[in-house]
Each structure stands twice: as structure tokens, then as C-alpha cells.
């Protein structure tokens, strides 16, 4: 057996947390030989609920779960951690404007970035899920100057999984026959699910789909609106699928993606002509705990317009929290 890995989950008393913790503790994230210690962070008012979750985790008698720490203090939550999944965020309340939401979350993620900077392991891997995820990741990274930017990422994997499932269903293929599908940009309706380079059952996806109008009129808008469709149907936002995507993202990062392309939002390095200073969803492969961008993909005029829209939106989000970035 290996030494245990410490995994922090923020917003652990929320609905994504509830769908995530039991899977981490059962080995779905790091495999059947890796013991884990869970560090659960939430607001003081949620500590009672966290205690209940800890009881349920105990009651599962998971062989891999060595300890559960519950706390409302980020310094306790992030001490010596190997992985952090930052889910907790302030939801948009009635009458709240987008800039107010950005500011409220900016404060949360600045505080958490400072705490990560102070007490997390220097090779910590941080995934931001709480919305607006890309900009929250930027804030946390900026508040943690002693950690490498490569420690930080934001989640666009749910969008990739949604796109992959939709393309597979459209072509009547099992979902695992779809590869090299990319989601670019922001986790917001400006995202660009892109199957121009994908293969489905060994065939180029654009050839298998045939009809380009399906891409532009059905596929892209349906993937972009999927979160809203789930809320309308369920009365609650995506939780189990979001938790599943967080596990997929982290598992690939830690254990490798075995050559598969996966989409992650990373600090832009200027590749594909995307401005630096924002977190942008790009295709990557993971190996040995490292993330490597897939380079050299062709960006045609349609793709360029989509990337530009996402970049413009992310730069606007950045401008709204600029005062917190210095
Ligand atoms: P819930 O409202 O069920 O849970 C959020 C939890 O976070 C609550 O327990 C709350 O007390 C806690 N919290 C709030 N502020 C905190 C702070 N400063 N420190 C620690 N905990 C704090 O929301 P849930 O459905 O779990 O969603 C969580 C976040 O994920 C939201 O921001 C949501 O928008 C975002 N999502 C992001 C997705 C993505 O693909 N990036 C998809 C799913 C989801 O919509």
C-alpha cells in the first residue's frame, strides 16, 4: 500500500460534493491501491451537514479511506494536500448582477489561493469547478505566487463529456468510439465544442456527420445549453455528472490520459493566438502527472470566431476582478 494522498474538496456539503466524496473514498479517483485522507471545507453554517457526511463516509467502511478532516478554515483544509477540488462558490442570487457574482467569488478564491500558497504541497494539483470557474482559477493562481501556474486548472470536462455523448448518440455509436473531441474556451455558453479533428469508430467525425448545419445549428447550441436543460428538467443544476467530470479531469491529470486528448482550462500561454492572462479550455494529453497541450491544430475562420468570442468574454470577466489580481 502507498502512503495516503490528501485530497481537499471545498463546498463539500453541497450537491456536487455529495456526488464526489463517496467516489473518491471508494477509489474511483486514484485507484484501488491508493489510500486517501479527505479534507472537507465548507462554510461554518454547513459544518453540521459535513459532520453527517463524515458519518456516512464512516458507515461505508471504505478500506481506502484513512481519515476525514472537516473544517471551515482554508488553512486547515489545504495543509499538506496533494490535490484540491475547489467546488464551493457563491451562487447567483435573485437580482445579483454578473459583476457582483464575479466579485463575491473573487474574494472566496483569493482567500483560498492565499491559503494554498501558504500550506499546500508545492506540487499540489488544483481543479476549480465553482463558477465562474475559469476566472476563479485565475484569481486563485494569482493569489498563490509561490506555486507554479501549472498547479492550477479549471473544469471544462463536463462540457467535453456532454459533447462526446451527444456526438456518439447522433451517430449511433458507443461513446468510447469517439476520440479527439475538443472543447475550447470558457465554461459558459460561449464554449466551442469542436469535432473537426475527432474520430468516431475510426472515421473522421466531420465525414461521419456529413451535414455541417447539424454542427452549427444543433450540436454547438445544444452542448452549450445542456446545463440549463438539466436545471429545467431536474429543478437542480448538474451534480453527479459534474462530480464525474471532476474525477475524470483529476484522474487523467494524476494517472495520465494514455494518449487520449482531453480538454482542460489552463493559464493561456499564447498558443493558438489566445491572449495570455486568462484560463482557456484547450486540448491536452497527460503523462506522468504533467499536462501537455496538443499543438498545431488547424484553426479555420469559423473556429477563430468562436475562440475570439470566448477570449473576449474571459477578458471581460478578468477586467471585472482586475483590482484583485495585483
Ligand atoms: P451547492 O450550492 O449545492 O453547494 C455549494 C457549497 O459550497 C455549499 O455547501 C456552500 O455552503 C459551499 N460554499 C459556499 N461558499 C464557500 C466558501 N467560501 N468556502 C467553502 N464552501 C463554500 O452547489 P453545487 O451544485 O455543488 O455547485 C457548486 C459549484 O459548481 C457552483 O458554483 C456551480 O455553478 C459549479 N458548477 C460548475 C460546473 C463546471 O463544469 N465547471 C458544472 C456544475 C456546476 O454548475
Amino acid at each position: 500500500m502507498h502512503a495516503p494522498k490528501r485530497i481537499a474538496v471545498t463546498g463539500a456539503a453541497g450537491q456536487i460534493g455529495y456526488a464526489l466524496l463517496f467516489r473518491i473514498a471508494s477509489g474511483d479517483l486514484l485507484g484501488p491501491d491508493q489510500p486517501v485522507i479527505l479534507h472537507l471545507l465548507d462554510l461554518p453554517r454547513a459544518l453540521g451537514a459535513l459532520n453527517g457526511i463524515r458519518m456516512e463516509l464512516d458507515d461505508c467502511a471504505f478500506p481506502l479511506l484513512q481519515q476525514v478532516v472537516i473544517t471551515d478554515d482554508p488553512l486547515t483544509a489545504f495543509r499538506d494536500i496533494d490535490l484540491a477540488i475547489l467546488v464551493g462558490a457563491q451562487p447567483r442570487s435573485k437580482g445579483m448582477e454578473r459583476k457582483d457574482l464575479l466579485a463575491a467569488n473573487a474574494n472566496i478564491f483569493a482567500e483560498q489561493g492565499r491559503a494554498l500558497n501558504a500550506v499546500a504541497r508545492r506540487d499540489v494539483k488544483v481543479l476549480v469547478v465553482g463558477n465562474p470557474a475559469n476566472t476563479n482559477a485565475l484569481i486563485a493562481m494569482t493569489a498563490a505566487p509561490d506555486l507554479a501556474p501549472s498547479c492550477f486548472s479549471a473544469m471544462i470536462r463536463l462540457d467535453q463529456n456532454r459533447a462526446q455523448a451527444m456526438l456518439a448518440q447522433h451517430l449511433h455509436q458507443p461513446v468510447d468510439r469517439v476520440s479527439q473531441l475538443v472543447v475550447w474556451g470558457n465554461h459558459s455558453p460561449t464554449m466551442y465544442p469542436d469535432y473537426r479533428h475527432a474520430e468516431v469508430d475510426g472515421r473522421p467525425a466531420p465525414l461521419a456527420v456529413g451535414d455541417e448545419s447539424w454542427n452549427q445549428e444543433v450540436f454547438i447550441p445544444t452542448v452549450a445549453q445542456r446545463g440549463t436543460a438539466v436545471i429545467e428538467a431536474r429543478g437542480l443544476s448538474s451534480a453527479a455528472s459534474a462530480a464525474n467530470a471532476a474525477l475524470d479531469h483529476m484522474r487523467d491529470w494524476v494517472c495520465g490520459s494514455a494518449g487520449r486528448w482531453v480538454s482542460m482550462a489552463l493559464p493561456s500561454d499564447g498558443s493558438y493566438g489566445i491572449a495570455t492572462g486568462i484560463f482557456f479550455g484547450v486540448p491536452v494529453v497527460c503523462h506522468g502527472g504533467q499536462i501537455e497541450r496538443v499543438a498545431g491544430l488547424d484553426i479555420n475562420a469559423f473556429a477563430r470566431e468562436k475562440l475570439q468570442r470566448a477570449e473576449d468574454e474571459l477578458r471581460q470577466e478578468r477586467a471585472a476582478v482586475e483590482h484583485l489580481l495585483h
Side-chain angles (χ1 to χ4, degrees), residues 135-154:
T135 297
N136 289 341
L138 173 69
I139 294 182
M141 181 190 81
T142 309
D146 301 332
L147 295 174
S150 56
C151 294
F152 291 86
S153 65

Side-chain angles (χ1 to χ4, degrees), residues 98-99 102-103 132 135 138 186 188 190 275-278 308-323 325:
R98 190 166 170 78
K99 69 172 171 29
L102 277 160
T135 297
L138 173 69
N186 197 6
S188 87
T190 65
T276 55
I278 53 178
Q308 191 61 52
R309 234 182 113 208
E311 180 188 312
D312 290 348
E313 181 180 59
L314 284 163
R315 288 172 64 160
Q316 279 168 23
E317 287 187 15
R318 183 191 161 106
V321 297
E322 191 73 47
H323 59 289
L325 295 174

Side-chain angles (χ1 to χ4, degrees), residues 247-308:
L247 290 174
D248 285 347
H249 177 120
M250 276 304 203
R251 190 190 308 110
D252 285 340
W253 192 356
V254 176
C255 306
S257 68
R260 279 176 299 113
W261 295 9
V262 292
S263 300
M264 295 183 174
L266 303 177
S268 175
D269 65 352
S271 53
Y272 294 109
I274 298 155
T276 55
I278 53 178
F279 271 63
F280 204 90
V282 288
V284 304
V285 289
C286 304
H287 181 71
Q290 306 296 318
I291 300 172
E292 191 187 320
R293 287 170 166 77
V294 176
L297 299 179
D298 160 57
I299 304 294
N300 62 19
F302 179 77
R304 176 58 59 201
E305 189 195 315
K306 292 282 176 200
L307 266 57
Q308 191 61 52

Side-chain angles (χ1 to χ4, degrees), residues 7-10 16 20 24 29 78 81-88 109 112 116 124-130 133-134 136-137 140 150-158 242-251 253 263-266 279 291:
I7 306 172
V9 176
T10 73
I16 295 176
L20 188 58
I24 298 175
L29 176 55
F78 298 151
I81 54 162
D82 299 279
L83 304 179
I85 306 181
L86 307 186
V87 180
F109 285 84
Q112 294 187 357
L116 285 162
V124 64
K125 291 178 167 52
V126 181
L127 167 62
V128 176
V129 175
N134 296 50
N136 289 341
S150 56
C151 294
F152 291 86
S153 65
M155 188 163 99
I156 198 149
R157 183 61 174 265
L158 178 55
N244 181 66
L247 290 174
D248 285 347
H249 177 120
M250 276 304 203
R251 190 190 308 110
W253 192 356
S263 300
M264 295 183 174
L266 303 177
F279 271 63
I291 300 172

Side-chain angles (χ1 to χ4, degrees), residues 94-114:
K94 219 173 170 194
M96 195 182 213
E97 287 190 24
R98 190 166 170 78
K99 69 172 171 29
D100 301 327
L101 181 74
L102 277 160
N105 279 298
N107 286 321
I108 294 172
F109 285 84
E111 185 196 6
Q112 294 187 357
R114 284 192 293 273

Side-chain angles (χ1 to χ4, degrees), residues 14-324:
Q15 52 153 4
I16 295 176
Y18 198 71
L20 188 58
L21 300 174
F22 297 85
R23 292 191 59 191
I24 298 175
S26 72
D28 272 4
L29 176 55
L30 297 177
D33 300 320
Q34 179 56 63
V36 294
I37 296 176
L38 286 173
H39 291 218
L40 311 184
L41 177 75
D42 210 299
L43 297 174
R45 63 167 184 254
L47 286 180
L50 275 191
N51 198 32
I53 291 170
R54 176 162 60 184
M55 289 184 216
E56 282 204 81
L57 284 162
D58 286 347
D59 296 348
C60 292
F62 287 122
L64 294 172
L65 183 59
Q66 291 208 343
Q67 194 189 342
V68 182
V69 176
I70 60 176
T71 181
D72 58 3
D73 172 18
L75 288 170
T76 306
F78 298 151
R79 187 166 303 280
D80 298 330
I81 54 162
D82 299 279
L83 304 179
I85 306 181
L86 307 186
V87 180
Q90 173 138 339
R92 193 170 188 157
S93 49
K94 219 173 170 194
M96 195 182 213
E97 287 190 24
R98 190 166 170 78
K99 69 172 171 29
D100 301 327
L101 181 74
L102 277 160
N105 279 298
N107 286 321
I108 294 172
F109 285 84
E111 185 196 6
Q112 294 187 357
R114 284 192 293 273
L116 285 162
N117 195 53
V119 297
R121 280 178 56 101
R122 300 300 86 177
D123 59 353
V124 64
K125 291 178 167 52
V126 181
L127 167 62
V128 176
V129 175
N131 279 319
N134 296 50
T135 297
N136 289 341
L138 173 69
I139 294 182
M141 181 190 81
T142 309
D146 301 332
L147 295 174
S150 56
C151 294
F152 291 86
S153 65
M155 188 163 99
I156 198 149
R157 183 61 174 265
L158 178 55
D159 308 297
Q160 180 196 317
N161 288 349
R162 287 167 171 165
Q164 198 166 327
M166 190 175 165
L167 184 61
Q169 280 174 17
H170 181 65
L171 296 172
H172 307 290
Q173 291 289 335
V175 75
D176 63 354
R177 302 305 295 167
V178 178
S179 60
Q180 298 179 196
L181 186 135
V182 182
V183 179
W184 303 89
N186 197 6
H187 171 64
S188 87
T190 65
M191 82 186 71
Y192 171 35
D194 175 7
Y195 62 69
R196 290 173 308 127
H197 311 281
E199 289 194 352
V200 182
D201 201 25
R203 285 182 74 199
L207 216 65
V209 172
D211 177 10
E212 173 59 18
S213 66
W214 181 78
N215 179 33
Q216 298 189 22
E217 286 160 29
V218 181
F219 178 69
I220 294 175
T222 308
V223 174
Q225 290 305 323
R226 184 67 161 187
T228 307
V230 169
I231 292 175
E232 277 167 11
R234 208 172 85 87
L236 289 167
S237 56
S238 305
S241 55
N244 181 66
L247 290 174
D248 285 347
H249 177 120
M250 276 304 203
R251 190 190 308 110
D252 285 340
W253 192 356
V254 176
C255 306
S257 68
R260 279 176 299 113
W261 295 9
V262 292
S263 300
M264 295 183 174
L266 303 177
S268 175
D269 65 352
S271 53
Y272 294 109
I274 298 155
T276 55
I278 53 178
F279 271 63
F280 204 90
V282 288
V284 304
V285 289
C286 304
H287 181 71
Q290 306 296 318
I291 300 172
E292 191 187 320
R293 287 170 166 77
V294 176
L297 299 179
D298 160 57
I299 304 294
N300 62 19
F302 179 77
R304 176 58 59 201
E305 189 195 315
K306 292 282 176 200
L307 266 57
Q308 191 61 52
R309 234 182 113 208
E311 180 188 312
D312 290 348
E313 181 180 59
L314 284 163
R315 288 172 64 160
Q316 279 168 23
E317 287 187 15
R318 183 191 161 106
V321 297
E322 191 73 47
H323 59 289
L324 283 161

